[in-house]
Amino acid sequence: MSTMHVFVYGTLKRGQPNHHWMTSERPEHGRASLVGVARTVRPFPLVVAGPWNIPYCVDRPGEGHNITGEVYRIDAEKLRHLDVLETYPTHYNRRLEEVTLLDAPDATPLSAWVYLWEKYTEDHLQLPFLENYANDAASERRYVPKDQRTLQTTC
Ligand code: PCA
């Protein structure tokens, strides 16, 4: 069976609101196993944006920070399952990016799928650039789960 890596930096991380998409083991949802905490080799702007406070890794490599997230080994079914959540390719795009495991900083970087945001505007680039996303209770920008998005908006 072919496996690959995905690097998650937002709501799919452990302790975040969509992590159950990683751990679901229904056969049609595929399989994922945690490899470790990692950081992107290239910096990116990581922002929380829009009416639902969604974390976005903006597709402008070279700006922002080396982003901290988690790498998982996944099968093709899990990638298809995550694509449903992320509405790939109409909402997010995804690309293979190099990431370094924090506990193996001298090892060859891994190539991992990352969901990237190409549809940014100048407004996105005015937001604070994060290094490590967390949807914590104290945040003013609480993530609104997909099934709670009743707000109609033109954003
Ligand atoms: N989910 C994906 C992309 C942003 C998000 O919230 C992730 O965690 O990497």
Side-chain angles (χ1 to χ4, degrees):
M1 188 183 53
S2 81
T3 60
M4 48 200 141
H5 293 108
V6 65
F7 172 82
V8 301
Y9 59 84
T11 60
L12 286 167
K13 294 192 297 185
R14 290 173 294 178
Q16 301 302 322
N18 287 322
H19 184 63
H20 59 279
W21 287 72
M22 299 299 312
T23 55
S24 167
E25 291 193 346
R26 281 171 58 171
E28 68 273 27
H29 292 174
R31 293 280 172 147
S33 62
L34 179 68
V35 177
V37 175
R39 204 172 273 152
T40 55
V41 169
R42 300 199 289 179
F44 288 91
L46 170 58
V47 300
V48 173
W52 303 307
N53 298 324
I54 296 173
Y56 290 111
C57 180
V58 176
D59 194 5
R60 284 175 72 108
E63 297 177 39
H65 303 283
N66 303 89
I67 294 173
T68 301
E70 296 170 352
V71 178
Y72 291 81
R73 186 170 298 112
I74 58 169
D75 59 16
E77 287 71 32
K78 182 61 84 182
L79 188 62
R80 270 200 292 278
H81 183 52
L82 300 181
D83 284 345
V84 173
L85 172 70
E86 310 302 354
T87 330
Y88 166 82
T90 51
H91 190 73
Y92 287 93
N93 196 5
R94 61 169 154 76
R95 214 188 24 242
L96 290 169
E97 271 292 321
E98 299 211 310
V99 300
T100 307
L101 290 168
L102 293 200
D103 62 6
D106 300 323
T108 309
L110 292 172
S111 183
W113 289 107
V114 182
Y115 289 98
L116 292 167
W117 182 241
E118 291 177 337
K119 299 176 183 173
Y120 60 89
T121 63
E122 276 305 307
D123 290 351
H124 289 100
L125 302 175
Q126 304 307 313
L127 294 166
F129 293 170
L130 310 177
E131 190 269 327
N132 194 351
Y133 171 81
N135 180 49
D136 45 70
S139 167
E140 288 164 28
R141 294 182 160 270
R142 289 283 286 169
Y143 178 74
V144 181
K146 263 191 161 172
D147 59 0
Q148 293 171 23
R149 294 177 194 166
T150 52
L151 179 64
Q152 294 297 309
T153 176
T154 53
C155 297

